Amino acid sequence: MAQAHPPGRAARAPRRRRARGPARALLAMLLAALVAGGAVPSVSGPGRPYLSYLVLAEREDASGAARAGAESRAAGGQVVQEYPQIGAVLTYATGRFADKVRSRPGIAAVGATRTAPVVAPPRAVEGAGDFTAGADRGGRGTAGADARGAGRAGDDRAAGSGTATVPDPAEGGAWNLAMLGATAFRVGDASPAPNSAPAGGVPAPEALHRVLVAVLDSGVDDTHPDLRAAVDPKASASCADGRPDARTGAWRPDPGVGESGHGTHVAGIVGAVRDGHGVTGVAPGVRIAAVRLLGPLGQYYTENIVCGLLWAADHGAKAINNSYFADPWKYNCPEDRDQAALTAAVGRAAGYARSKGAVVVASAGNDAQDLGAPRVDERSPNDRVSGPAQTRYLGTECVRLPGELSGVVTVTAVDRDGHPSAYTNFGRGRVSLAAPGGDPDGGPQNAIVSDWPGGQYAALAGTSMAAAHVTGAVAVAAALHPDFGSDALAALLANTAAAGCPSGPYACGDRQYFGAGMLALPR
């Protein structure tokens, strides 16, 4: 999850809405039983505890999803969303549901996606659940339409002690763009010929506008002046409960949920327009699919991530930005049947996105941990409403989702001097690229200034910001090479980053901190 915190310190738990009155008392009793007995108690009648489950069939297609749905219903579950792209369903159920379905033929895995029960499955929403809603399969839409309304992230979203807004930077002082080799343009600069690449490797806006990238996050304020023309409403949706909801504005942040401005900040880094005001993105002119994952409980549950990846892939995204980690487990371990199922589900969704031509980009995290070594997790499960977190001593087989999945471009952070940021996670063979993330203790001039809801600007630091730079660079590469698939685009970025990187500790040839090297815009 993305959440503001100082480098090297565990991020604070997100604030959550709590049940009130009798419902709160019931929930407290259920949770007490959970802690004491390690299992969800069986309670009949109204208010019985439900958990959400991802049920994966052996077949990773529509017939597999149908099988997973049939077996879920036979075991008493309520299927609220099918994922025919990967042969899975999202089911809410009570009692020993998982044990019943795991034993059924044709079922590969079943995993609870949360540890804190809810009193009922999500209510039906008209129009929700349709992955074909919005833009056509080619992802063509009109950016900026319907952006009329009012206008968080986990430990890898922003490192710092809080969010304070800053004055309009008027597109000045963008050290992060200069580090990538981008040229800072202002209104009135000579415009290049259509579809040609100006200095710094940034294609013309006309070329970038044919590229769609997705920002899976806390939501994006598409009424922000820097983002009105960038966010494509026909490719945007909410996946905040695991179901795609393309109703107008569903992708916007919920101001009642902590960290709700994070996605707007990330989107600005990716593709804020160049107009002489505010900030300029790495890929100004790119179209952005805003996909809200952050739900009302302040969590990035696995079904939200699966939904977001599938939605972005089906709407033609060339890059999918993931600046968070999956809740409720910071690391998911294969020996735990629930966590193994969650890893498999996100892995299937990420693989599907890559097969559709998208580069899946993820932040490495802000815990200053070596992802290639044993580590300690003192935060999980982080959806609990009472009691301390477990202290888990983990081996390298336990992974962050989605950043440690095979084929995902995982991004570490560097400061303004090009050195690894103190908070960044790292790990030889576990990270792909390094990009500007900034220093949370050095003031706005050493952090990354980007957009904030309500037409404002904020300075944040973290691997979230670093990942957004890579997503913007993928857009540049896709505009320059429209025939490239996901593997070719990722390889181009890696090769460009590696060029000219010197070897030595903490230099950009140091693979444990930089992966292939320091991000540079492709030409």
Side-chain angles (χ1 to χ4, degrees), residues 1 16 24 83 111 114 150 165 182 252 292 359 408 450 506:
M1 297 177 1
R16 302 180 182 85
R24 181 173 182 176
Y83 306 114
R114 65 184 69 216
T165 57
R252 294 174 187 147
R292 181 164 69 94
V359 179
V408 172
S450 186
Y506 305 109

Side-chain angles (χ1 to χ4, degrees), residues 2 31 94 141 150 167 202 219 257 261 280 298 303 308 327 335 361 402 430 457 476 502:
L31 288 168
T94 62
V202 180
V257 180
T280 298
E303 62 265 29
D327 297 312
E335 64 269 19
V361 180
R430 298 296 183 108
Y457 304 90
V476 171

Side-chain angles (χ1 to χ4, degrees), residues 33-118:
L34 260 172
V35 172
V40 178
S42 175
V43 179
S44 61
R48 58 184 178 174
Y50 283 83
L51 289 181
S52 49
Y53 296 87
L54 283 171
V55 181
L56 284 66
E58 293 173 353
R59 293 184 59 92
E60 299 181 24
D61 54 19
S63 65
R67 166 59 68 89
E71 296 296 351
S72 294
R73 295 183 187 94
Q78 179 175 328
V79 176
V80 301
Q81 181 63 48
E82 291 189 355
Y83 306 114
Q85 304 94 323
I86 60 169
V89 298
L90 171 64
T91 301
Y92 278 72
T94 62
R96 301 184 62 83
F97 170 82
D99 291 337
K100 295 177 184 177
V101 180
R102 284 176 181 139
S103 63
R104 300 299 301 162
I107 300 301
V110 180
T113 70
R114 65 184 69 216
T115 66
V118 295

Side-chain angles (χ1 to χ4, degrees), residues 175 179 412-424 434-439 446 504-508 510 513-514 518:
W175 63 268
M179 184 175 284
T412 64
V414 299
D415 61 22
R416 187 167 183 164
D417 294 326
H419 300 141
S421 299
Y423 53 78
T424 190
D439 176 1
N446 289 301
Y506 305 109
C508 66
D510 186 341
Y513 283 97
F514 288 83
M518 178 65 198

Side-chain angles (χ1 to χ4, degrees), residues 131-195:
F131 281 102
T132 66
D136 65 4
R137 293 288 179 143
R140 299 292 180 185
T142 303
D146 296 324
R148 305 285 190 270
R152 138 192 155 164
D155 70 336
D156 44 336
R157 289 163 235 190
S161 57
T163 303
T165 57
V166 299
D168 183 338
E171 296 184 350
W175 63 268
N176 49 310
L177 297 185
M179 184 175 284
L180 305 185
T183 300
F185 286 89
R186 293 177 181 273
V187 170
D189 288 347
S191 298
N195 304 321

